[in-house]
Amino acid sequence: MEDIYGTMTRFRVSGCRDFSRNFRFDIGLAYQKKDGQPYEFIYGDVESFESSSQISLLQLEFVPKYAFRGTSVDFFIGGGLAFISMKEKIELSAVIDGEYMHASDEVSKSAAGLILVLGVDVPVNQTKTTVLYAELSGRSAKIEGALGDELDIGGGVFEVGVRFNTFKK
């Protein structure tokens, strides 16, 4: 998938609940959308060729995390499940031997995958209800794409942001 779409930016909203000093449960919803240039096509006497593709991914993530509490910084590790919905649209147009050809296809599929997470929290206030965080995660999920090929829709994610722990225990 990276060959077609390259690096993707995603938008994520999440919430967490602390169940003990070291254990919390995160739920997140992430969205990604990207245009791609999928195929180079060589067949016969091609006079012109255009291809385009677009993919969008919606991910619902459930990740329990264990925190290693420090005096000013907390480190965490976790693992969980991601439910991923993918929509891919591909269009191909060409003039071959003087004849115009056009094809398009769109698929919507879903898959479940695993998530592994490593990260760091830097509290902004004494109660640790607001933290700056950085997180590195990996996802494992595969799905069949618009042309019948298998797409690896998992991969690595580096994320930074602000987390509000409003239900802090």
Side-chain angles (χ1 to χ4, degrees), residues 17-83:
R17 170 76 164 107
D18 288 352
F19 287 98
S20 71
R21 185 179 189 294
N22 297 92
F23 179 74
R24 76 168 178 252
F25 190 82
D26 283 12
I27 297 176
L29 185 64
Y31 178 75
Q32 298 166 255
K33 184 175 181 179
K34 181 91 185 246
D35 293 330
Q37 200 65 28
Y39 301 97
E40 290 185 18
F41 186 73
I42 299 173
Y43 179 82
D45 189 14
V46 178
E47 297 166 29
S48 67
F49 177 76
E50 290 183 22
S51 67
S52 65
S53 64
Q54 184 179 76
I55 193 167
S56 59
L57 301 168
L58 184 64
Q59 301 177 47
L60 181 59
E61 305 166 347
F62 300 94
V63 184
K65 296 178 180 174
Y66 185 83
F68 301 93
R69 303 287 183 188
T71 55
S72 59
V73 175
D74 297 337
F75 295 93
F76 58 87
I77 186 169
L81 294 174
F83 297 96

Side-chain angles (χ1 to χ4, degrees), residues 2-168:
E2 194 171 287
D3 298 342
I4 297 171
Y5 297 103
T7 303
M8 297 175 76
T9 302
R10 73 187 211 146
F11 176 75
R12 182 172 185 256
V13 176
S14 67
C16 68
R17 170 76 164 107
D18 288 352
F19 287 98
S20 71
R21 185 179 189 294
N22 297 92
F23 179 74
R24 76 168 178 252
F25 190 82
D26 283 12
I27 297 176
L29 185 64
Y31 178 75
Q32 298 166 255
K33 184 175 181 179
K34 181 91 185 246
D35 293 330
Q37 200 65 28
Y39 301 97
E40 290 185 18
F41 186 73
I42 299 173
Y43 179 82
D45 189 14
V46 178
E47 297 166 29
S48 67
F49 177 76
E50 290 183 22
S51 67
S52 65
S53 64
Q54 184 179 76
I55 193 167
S56 59
L57 301 168
L58 184 64
Q59 301 177 47
L60 181 59
E61 305 166 347
F62 300 94
V63 184
K65 296 178 180 174
Y66 185 83
F68 301 93
R69 303 287 183 188
T71 55
S72 59
V73 175
D74 297 337
F75 295 93
F76 58 87
I77 186 169
L81 294 174
F83 297 96
I84 304 168
S85 175
M86 177 202 79
K87 182 176 181 181
E88 184 181 37
K89 182 177 181 179
I90 293 179
E91 292 194 32
L92 307 170
S93 302
V95 177
I96 301 173
D97 297 327
E99 188 176 329
Y100 177 76
M101 303 172 107
H102 179 80
S104 66
D105 196 10
E106 186 173 313
V107 296
S108 295
K109 302 243 177 155
S110 297
L114 299 175
I115 302 174
L116 293 176
V117 176
L118 296 170
V120 60
D121 285 342
V122 180
V124 174
N125 56 17
Q126 290 291 80
T127 59
K128 296 186 178 183
T129 54
T130 305
V131 297
L132 301 175
Y133 75 94
E135 182 176 291
L136 182 61
S137 60
R139 285 151 184 76
S140 166
K142 293 185 179 183
I143 204 164
E144 185 178 319
L147 296 177
D149 50 340
E150 187 175 76
L151 294 177
D152 182 356
I153 58 173
V157 173
F158 177 68
E159 187 175 304
V160 293
V162 177
R163 183 176 5 258
F164 302 101
N165 297 331
T166 55
F167 300 108
K168 185 133 181 79

